[in-house]
Amino acid sequence: TNAVLEARRELPNAVSEELLEQLAFVSTQATTTPVQRQRGLVRGALAGIGELVGGVKTSAESVSAVVAAWTTAEPVLRAALGL
């Protein structure tokens, strides 16, 4: 989330807003019990984040930080959420 907030100036508004919304949703789902978790929606949100991050075509350092953060966070989130 911090990487996205720092990169907001270089990212298109629609991309940064969607990334923040998706990250907020995944964060709230991570705090629910596995029984209450909306696995299909979480899986879709994680895929959406990956697509947004992969679609960013710029060499700005802060945007590179978003890509690096997602590359590190995605497997951790998937494991923590049982996906």
Side-chain angles (χ1 to χ4, degrees):
T1 304
N2 287 339
V4 174
L5 291 172
E6 290 174 14
R8 281 188 95 161
R9 284 183 227 123
E10 287 93 22
L11 290 171
N13 285 340
V15 171
S16 63
E17 290 299 321
E18 189 167 345
L19 278 170
L20 291 171
E21 287 175 12
Q22 298 284 8
L23 289 168
F25 173 73
V26 170
S27 297
T28 60
Q29 290 295 298
T31 63
T32 64
T33 65
V35 173
Q36 295 174 321
R37 198 167 291 145
Q38 298 172 304
R39 293 175 56 93
L41 294 176
V42 171
R43 198 174 283 117
L46 292 174
I49 293 168
E51 289 175 19
L52 286 169
V53 169
V56 174
K57 303 288 185 198
T58 181
S59 60
E61 187 175 313
S62 58
V63 174
S64 295
V66 171
V67 174
W70 176 245
T71 301
T72 302
E74 181 182 21
V76 174
L77 287 168
R78 287 189 181 278
L81 295 167
L83 300 174

